Amino acid sequence: MHVGLSNKFSIQGSKRKIASLQFSDKTVEDYSKAMSVGNPHDLNTSPFPQLYSPAGKRQMFQRVDRFSVLQPIKKEEDKLTDKDIMRQLQESPEQKLEDQIPKQLVGSQSARSYFQHYKVLTKVKQQNEYHKINDSIQTQMLKQAESVDVLPCKLGLIKLNGSESQVSINNHHYGDKYISVLSEGLRQNQGIKEFLLSNNRIKQDGAVTILNQIGKQATVVDLSKNDIGSLGVDCLCQQLQMRENKMEVINIEDNKLGDKFVMRILKCLLNTQNKVKVLNISKNFLTNEICDLMKEIILQLDNLEELYIHWNQIKGSGGQKIFEALVENKNMIVFDGSWNSFGISEKSNCTQKVCDFLSQNKVMLHCDLSANQFTLPDCKLIASSLKPNRTMYGFHFAGNWGVVDPRGFLIIDENSQQKVLGETLRIKGLEQVTTLRHEDVCWICEGWQEQVFDWIPDGECDPLFLHMNFEEYKQVYVPKRNDGTYKLPLMVPAGQTQFLFTVIDNQTTGANYENMKFGHVIKLKVNGINVSCQLDNINVVKKLKHFQLMDKKEMKAHTSVLPRTPDPIYIPPKLKKQKRIWSFPISIWFKDFRFENEEFLRKCFEKDWSCSKISKVVKNPDEFNEVKNLLWKDYKMIKETYKWYSSYNPSGDVWSISSNVITDFSSSTELVDNKTFKLSDLDLKFIATCAASIEYKGNYRNPERALCRYQFMEFLVRVSDDKYLKQKQANNMVESVQMILEQCRPIMSQYNAQKWRDERYFNEQCDDCLKYYKTLLNYVYNRYSIKKVKPGQKKFMCLDELHEICGQAGLFDEKFVDRDADLAFNLSMMLQIDELESDRIFQMTFVEFLEAIARIAEKVSLPAAPDMSWEQRQQQPLHIKLERFLILLAQTCASEEYKSQFGNPQKSIFDVQPEDD
């Protein structure tokens, strides 16, 4: 290749492509001088003959070539003027060497450039040596990695994200060799202030290396879970004694140093002007020997705000000295003394000093005294001393007697055993450390937040109680304010909190809060009375999962609620006589009775639908879904009709509809007309329905010659197919099913077990009657619930035992027959989702027994006065009938021992007239 200097520079090649050359500023300056003085090509007259000698030309163009960038010439006819050349020479930048190019330590390209740097490390070292250039951070680290024979690693200096002022390599197990690499990388980087080096197998040599390097710049030094040894301690002390020392956080937890070495550090802190705010000397086998020095540290270090001595061997006498200092300390806000042995007295007065600290110190915000072997009397004293403290927002006491409740009180339960726990939740200054709820509540660690619960009054609301899920729905009184509003600020945990209100003994939800579907039974205690409540919806309030309760700068809490603020106390008004307002939640049935809501009915329907063989009758997929929707709309009516007719002639204890009963049903509904549908057709459909479910053959809950609940629905579909579709009265199965439901509706709609409950049974008088005679009812139920109960099984009553009670009471006559007892039993049983795999359908519980007794009393209608006609007996209120029947049970079914103990009631409780107000 020939390069000539004339009016234009060009490079001739095989394709004759012409490109301009861009020169450095130095080259342009030399060329300009050469052009302006004498003949630049004449070596005798040129002021720069060295530029035009053969060696000078080679040197110049080598330099030009190194800094040039080829660009296509965009001039017409590929011609350049001297002016164009000069402009391009002036615009040409000077290329920098590798270690002169600044490279980011944090960012998406930092790691890539670091490892690319490693590939050209040999070249970089040669460049730096030749041009006398200082090594960059990357070069220093890579050179040290080569010298100690380890693979190159980023070591927290080079990272994708994070702060440039922090090195965080916790739990990486790097070891001393890598620490030496890190130290080399820090030589020119004085901007890093925080060094988090926990759990890295750092021993004495590594500790000395890194501490010597960072001593003048570090504010945070975390060497926990290492083994820095005596040399590391000595080096740390040297750095603390330096005038340039800036350390504010020192963490040497779990270095197994012992009293001797930790005392060196404490003495160094006492004898120097330091800025240490956080000192963590946990897990270092410390004993009482160090406590005199620790007492001085607490009293004299005005900057010390957090002290951690977790998991050491300090006993009562040493703890006494520590708490004597904490009583007087006015600066420390966090103290972790957990997992020591302060409770082992050794003739000390440690517990009293702990009590003095809790009652007198008004600065401490967060304290952990967990697992310190305090005795039960000690814990009672501590709980009493903590009670008036309104400044400590976080208090931990796990592993001792007592539990910290959501208000911050320490609750002592003498019946609970002292808990022995493994190391779990650790406090970390004033920061939230978990999103989970623990049995012992800490507002700081769990991120609790303030919530103002208010109620919009609509008429009389007092008393108003609040029930929250994290307190197991205990009642909290919400008082009425002077302005007529109901508001109560409380602390609630992070995440979701469920709650409801009790307004004058009625459980409900607030309209001004978000609602969610619930449907579970909640056990409440309102005014000392246990109440079970089932709500379709419940109020919900949602809080941030990550929340810092404390403002670290101003040392204030982001809440107006003070810890250990007692709940308002409800004092009932003193009236001469207060009339009770009866409601179902305070009734005898509320705890155990389950209403059939839409969600529960849907589950029952889906179970029946999946067990049936309707798909073999309705074969069109589109019609199949429409038929399903039709049956679901009338499922409650179908279910009630089945329950009524299955009680007429059960197969033993199993409720089912026999062929004779289905004939009665078809006669009542006029399905059999002997024209479009005959009795023989009915029998065929009955047999086909029974035979279709061969997979349940052998299941005693599904008799072979009777219809169960799921089969009754299938039977109606089969009859509709034969009666309407095959006779061409309907165009499809949807119309035929709709026609049979419409034909049977006048009869089937009469059967409604819940209607009787609402109109006759669920009322204040029946409730009073059952409560008054509950002892008798319990006695009779337990006495007769023995026949089919297996050992260890909860008691239940079977059908035969109810018959036995009726027989013992002498009820059977022409007006009350076996079928009436069967019907009372079955109608009282609560609906079950699966009747094929559970015996629950013929195991009567106590609340169902109460209803069965009431239904029998309704049917028998015992007279409340002599000479009453049958019609008059039937028209009596149910509570009168029920009481007369219960008195009869006491006379006929109770033993003489029971009568002698509880008496033989004769007089009606409803004969007593209330006093005049």
Side-chain angles (χ1 to χ4, degrees):
M1 179 184 295
H2 175 72
V3 181
L5 183 63
S6 60
N7 290 336
K8 66 179 179 179
F9 296 102
S10 65
I11 300 175
Q12 299 180 0
S14 58
K15 296 183 179 180
R16 307 292 296 173
K17 185 176 181 180
I18 301 176
S20 67
L21 296 178
Q22 296 181 350
F23 297 88
S24 67
D25 295 338
K26 176 64 176 171
T27 306
V28 173
E29 182 182 354
D30 294 343
Y31 179 74
S32 300
K33 290 180 180 179
M35 293 295 292
S36 61
V37 182
N39 184 0
H41 301 286
D42 188 350
L43 299 179
N44 296 320
T45 62
S46 174
F48 303 99
Q50 68 275 16
L51 292 177
Y52 302 103
S53 64
K57 288 182 178 180
R58 284 197 304 272
Q59 183 178 357
M60 184 183 73
F61 283 107
Q62 285 174 0
R63 184 177 179 186
V64 169
D65 183 60
R66 183 164 66 248
F67 293 103
S68 63
V69 178
L70 296 181
Q71 295 180 350
I73 298 175
K74 298 181 181 179
K75 286 282 186 175
E76 190 177 356
E77 297 179 358
D78 296 335
K79 292 183 179 180
L80 290 175
T81 63
D82 292 341
K83 189 179 293 185
D84 294 328
I85 295 172
M86 295 302 297
R87 179 176 53 80
Q88 291 180 5
L89 290 174
Q90 291 172 355
E91 292 176 355
S92 174
E94 183 176 357
Q95 184 174 349
K96 295 182 180 180
L97 298 178
E98 187 72 24
D99 265 358
Q100 290 180 324
I101 301 174
K103 296 179 181 177
Q104 292 184 348
L105 298 177
V106 180
S108 58
Q109 298 296 325
S110 59
R112 180 179 299 177
S113 64
Y114 178 60
F115 288 110
Q116 288 176 348
H117 194 93
Y118 174 64
K119 295 178 181 179
V120 296
L121 180 62
T122 304
K123 174 184 174 182
V124 173
K125 289 193 293 185
Q126 293 173 355
Q127 286 179 347
N128 293 353
E129 183 179 359
Y130 180 79
H131 293 283
K132 308 278 192 235
I133 297 173
N134 293 330
D135 291 339
S136 65
I137 294 174
Q138 290 85 350
T139 303
Q140 286 178 321
M141 292 177 64
L142 293 170
K143 285 171 65 176
Q144 182 64 17
E146 279 189 347
S147 66
V148 296
D149 195 21
V150 295
L151 292 174
C153 191
K154 294 177 290 183
L155 293 168
L157 273 177
I158 294 140
K159 49 195 172 183
L160 291 176
N161 47 46
S163 173
E164 293 185 0
S165 64
Q166 183 185 82
V167 170
S168 178
I169 54 173
N170 289 341
N171 305 307
H172 278 67
H173 305 276
Y174 278 130
D176 286 354
K177 289 186 177 180
Y178 276 110
I179 293 301
S180 68
V181 175
L182 175 61
S183 300
E184 287 297 321
L186 293 171
R187 286 189 181 279
Q188 294 183 10
N189 192 338
Q190 299 299 314
I192 297 180
K193 306 298 181 183
E194 300 179 8
F195 298 88
L196 309 180
L197 314 175
S198 174
N199 199 12
N200 271 292
R201 298 188 299 118
I202 300 175
K203 298 189 182 299
Q204 301 191 56
D205 294 340
V208 171
T209 302
I210 191 68
L211 287 171
N212 282 330
Q213 187 59 53
I214 67 176
K216 295 181 180 179
Q217 65 190 81
T219 58
V220 177
V221 177
D222 184 357
L223 288 170
S224 60
K225 299 181 182 179
N226 289 295
D227 188 12
I228 64 175
S230 61
L231 295 180
V233 170
D234 291 340
C235 188
L236 177 60
C237 291
Q238 292 174 9
Q239 302 304 320
L240 289 172
Q241 292 171 351
M242 293 176 60
R243 182 178 297 178
E244 300 87 350
N245 167 50
K246 302 174 183 176
M247 292 186 194
E248 296 180 357
V249 178
I250 300 176
N251 186 352
I252 53 172
E253 176 180 333
D254 199 7
N255 271 269
K256 304 173 181 61
L257 297 175
D259 292 330
K260 179 180 177 182
F261 295 124
V262 174
M263 288 173 70
R264 287 191 198 174
I265 298 174
L266 297 185
K267 289 178 180 178
C268 183
L269 291 174
L270 280 174
N271 298 327
T272 58
Q273 295 292 330
N274 61 79
K275 302 178 181 179
V276 174
K277 295 181 179 179
V278 181
L279 177 62
N280 189 342
I281 52 177
S282 304
K283 292 187 177 181
N284 275 299
F285 303 125
L286 304 181
T287 65
N288 291 344
E289 186 179 348
I290 200 173
C291 292
D292 286 323
L293 194 54
M294 199 177 298
K295 180 178 180 179
E296 294 184 41
I297 287 287
I298 296 173
L299 291 174
Q300 297 185 26
L301 294 190
D302 295 336
N303 293 323
L304 188 61
E305 297 177 349
E306 301 178 22
L307 176 62
Y308 300 84
I309 56 173
H310 163 86
W311 203 293
N312 282 299
Q313 301 168 9
I314 302 174
K315 297 183 180 179
S317 58
Q320 178 179 343
K321 297 173 183 177
I322 293 174
F323 286 103
E324 284 175 354
L326 288 174
V327 170
E328 301 179 19
N329 185 277
K330 305 300 180 183
N331 305 299
M332 193 174 298
I333 58 174
V334 178
F335 175 71
D336 182 1
S338 59
W339 290 88
N340 282 279
S341 301
F342 298 150
I344 300 179
S345 61
E346 298 176 336
K347 298 181 181 180
S348 68
N349 200 16
C350 182
T351 301
Q352 184 57 49
K353 294 303 177 182
V354 172
C355 294
D356 294 342
F357 158 68
L358 294 174
S359 59
Q360 298 178 28
N361 187 296
K362 304 301 180 184
V363 180
M364 189 72 65
L365 301 175
H366 205 179
C367 179
D368 190 350
L369 299 180
S370 301
N372 266 287
Q373 304 185 47
F374 290 112
T375 63
L376 179 59
D378 289 342
C379 293
K380 289 182 178 179
L381 290 173
I382 292 172
S384 178
S385 301
L386 179 66
K387 192 173 182 179
N389 187 304
R390 297 286 185 273
T391 56
M392 192 177 294
Y393 286 84
F395 181 72
H396 296 251
F397 208 63
N400 302 300
W401 291 85
V403 174
V404 180
D405 73 355
R407 305 291 184 273
F409 292 99
L410 179 59
I411 308 300
I412 306 296
D413 185 0
E414 297 185 13
N415 297 321
S416 64
Q417 294 295 322
Q418 189 174 12
K419 301 174 185 177
V420 180
L421 305 173
E423 185 180 5
T424 52
L425 185 64
R426 290 285 306 276
I427 69 174
K428 187 179 179 182
L430 301 177
E431 298 180 13
Q432 179 185 359
V433 296
T434 180
T435 58
L436 303 176
R437 268 218 64 222
H438 293 74
E439 184 179 12
D440 285 277
V441 174
C442 177
W443 292 358
I444 297 175
C445 292
E446 297 172 12
W448 285 54
Q449 298 150 61
E450 181 178 342
Q451 172 64 38
V452 178
F453 293 94
D454 58 345
W455 176 263
I456 301 175
D458 184 13
E460 183 60 34
C461 300
D462 199 40
L464 173 67
F465 296 103
L466 171 70
H467 310 268
M468 295 176 286
N469 64 333
F470 60 84
E471 293 184 311
E472 298 181 352
Y473 297 100
K474 79 168 189 178
Q475 70 174 22
V476 179
Y477 177 56
V478 183
K480 186 176 182 180
R481 296 191 174 190
N482 295 331
D483 58 359
T485 61
Y486 293 85
K487 290 185 178 181
L488 182 64
L490 292 173
M491 295 296 286
V492 297
Q496 179 174 285
T497 296
Q498 299 174 356
F499 63 96
L500 68 151
F501 294 92
T502 296
V503 184
I504 315 179
D505 297 331
N506 291 317
Q507 283 71 46
T508 184
T509 56
N512 53 326
Y513 294 98
E514 179 183 351
N515 280 3
M516 66 172 287
K517 289 188 177 180
F518 193 66
H520 302 297
V521 175
I522 303 173
K523 293 184 179 180
L524 311 174
K525 195 169 185 178
V526 181
N527 294 329
I529 301 174
N530 292 321
V531 175
S532 294
C533 169
Q534 180 171 355
L535 297 176
D536 292 335
N537 298 300
I538 197 167
N539 284 138
V540 173
V541 63
K542 297 178 181 178
K543 293 294 184 181
L544 297 173
K545 284 201 170 182
H546 299 280
F547 178 76
Q548 298 299 335
L549 176 66
M550 307 302 299
D551 186 334
K552 294 182 181 180
K553 292 183 179 180
E554 299 184 5
M555 295 301 172
K556 293 183 179 180
H558 297 293
T559 176
S560 62
V561 181
L562 296 178
R564 286 163 292 282
T565 300
D567 290 335
I569 300 175
Y570 171 63
I571 302 176
K574 295 181 179 179
L575 299 178
K576 182 178 179 181
K577 183 173 182 180
Q578 184 176 5
K579 182 174 177 59
R580 181 189 64 173
I581 300 177
W582 184 87
S583 61
F584 186 80
I586 65 173
S587 69
I588 194 173
W589 310 289
F590 183 75
K591 179 180 178 182
D592 298 312
F593 185 80
R594 184 190 67 239
F595 286 93
E596 298 172 2
N597 55 31
E598 183 176 354
E599 181 182 358
F600 184 76
L601 284 173
R602 187 74 190 193
K603 292 179 180 178
C604 297
F605 172 75
E606 292 294 342
K607 181 63 180 178
D608 291 352
W609 182 263
S610 63
C611 292
S612 69
K613 303 300 177 184
I614 297 178
S615 58
K616 294 184 178 181
V617 183
V618 185
K619 298 180 180 180
N620 188 319
D622 297 332
E623 294 181 2
F624 184 77
N625 291 327
E626 291 189 46
V627 168
K628 182 178 180 180
N629 291 333
L630 278 176
L631 293 173
W632 160 242
K633 290 179 182 178
D634 285 323
Y635 178 72
K636 187 173 183 180
M637 179 182 72
I638 296 171
K639 179 265 300 180
E640 293 284 355
T641 304
Y642 163 78
K643 200 162 195 178
W644 193 277
Y645 279 94
S646 65
S647 306
Y648 284 1
N649 188 19
S651 301
D653 279 354
V654 180
W655 308 107
S656 56
I657 301 177
S658 63
S659 59
N660 293 333
V661 176
I662 206 70
T663 302
D664 294 341
F665 169 75
S666 63
S667 176
S668 301
T669 54
E670 299 180 354
L671 289 176
V672 176
D673 56 6
N674 292 322
K675 295 180 181 178
T676 59
F677 194 69
K678 301 179 181 179
L679 188 59
S680 58
D681 298 328
L682 181 74
D683 292 338
L684 288 174
K685 295 303 169 187
F686 180 85
I687 295 170
T689 306
C690 292
S693 302
I694 57 174
E695 66 268 27
Y696 298 108
K697 186 176 182 181
N699 187 339
Y700 67 92
R701 303 180 193 89
N702 189 7
E704 294 183 3
R705 298 184 180 181
L707 299 179
C708 290
R709 190 180 72 196
Y710 77 95
Q711 292 172 315
F712 180 65
M713 187 166 60
E714 179 185 339
F715 170 77
L716 292 176
V717 176
R718 289 181 182 272
V719 171
S720 69
D721 178 35
D722 207 18
K723 180 175 176 62
Y724 303 107
L725 186 61
K726 291 183 179 179
Q727 298 297 327
K728 298 184 179 180
Q729 295 185 32
N731 297 320
N732 50 52
M733 281 301 301
V734 178
E735 291 183 7
S736 65
V737 171
Q738 193 167 8
M739 290 175 71
I740 194 173
L741 291 174
E742 291 300 326
Q743 180 167 345
C744 298
R745 192 179 304 280
I747 300 299
M748 295 174 68
S749 60
Q750 298 176 9
Y751 307 119
N752 189 340
Q754 187 60 40
K755 183 180 179 182
W756 175 84
R757 296 188 189 105
D758 295 335
E759 294 178 355
R760 300 280 293 170
Y761 182 50
F762 286 157
N763 55 60
E764 182 177 4
Q765 292 77 16
C766 288
D767 181 36
D768 289 340
C769 183
L770 292 173
K771 286 177 178 176
Y772 184 82
Y773 291 98
K774 187 178 179 183
T775 304
L776 170 67
L777 290 163
N778 274 323
Y779 171 80
V780 174
Y781 178 78
N782 291 327
R783 184 181 184 185
Y784 285 88
S785 298
I786 55 175
K787 276 190 176 182
K788 297 186 178 181
V789 178
K790 299 177 182 178
Q793 190 176 8
K794 189 176 180 180
K795 282 196 172 186
F796 65 85
M797 182 174 289
C798 66
L799 181 60
D800 290 342
E801 289 165 333
L802 186 65
H803 276 267
E804 187 179 348
I805 292 174
C806 294
Q808 189 74 22
L811 300 181
F812 293 115
D813 56 19
E814 68 278 1
K815 289 185 173 60
F816 186 84
V817 296
D818 288 349
R819 177 181 290 185
D820 295 319
D822 294 344
L823 190 61
F825 189 103
N826 195 14
L827 293 182
S828 302
M829 298 298 292
M830 288 184 283
L831 183 64
Q832 304 299 316
I833 296 175
D834 191 352
E835 293 193 347
L836 293 177
E837 300 298 335
S838 173
D839 293 338
R840 177 68 179 82
I841 57 173
F842 34 81
Q843 295 177 349
M844 177 174 280
T845 62
F846 182 69
V847 70
E848 294 166 335
F849 170 69
L850 298 181
E851 183 176 336
I853 292 296
R855 289 184 181 274
I856 292 172
E858 182 82 288
K859 181 64 177 177
V860 173
S861 300
L862 293 175
D867 302 326
M868 291 183 70
S869 65
W870 176 247
E871 288 75 15
Q872 289 175 329
R873 289 166 58 180
Q874 286 182 311
Q875 292 173 3
Q876 295 178 107
L878 177 58
H879 66 275
I880 300 296
K881 298 181 182 180
L882 180 58
E883 185 185 38
R884 298 310 303 169
F885 180 49
L886 292 177
I887 292 174
L888 177 63
L889 285 183
Q891 295 170 350
T892 57
C893 296
S895 65
E896 294 300 325
E897 181 181 359
Y898 174 86
K899 294 177 185 177
S900 61
Q901 183 178 359
F902 296 98
N904 191 359
Q906 297 292 334
K907 190 176 181 181
S908 172
I909 62 173
F910 301 105
D911 291 341
V912 180
Q913 298 296 325
E915 296 179 2
D916 191 357
D917 290 342

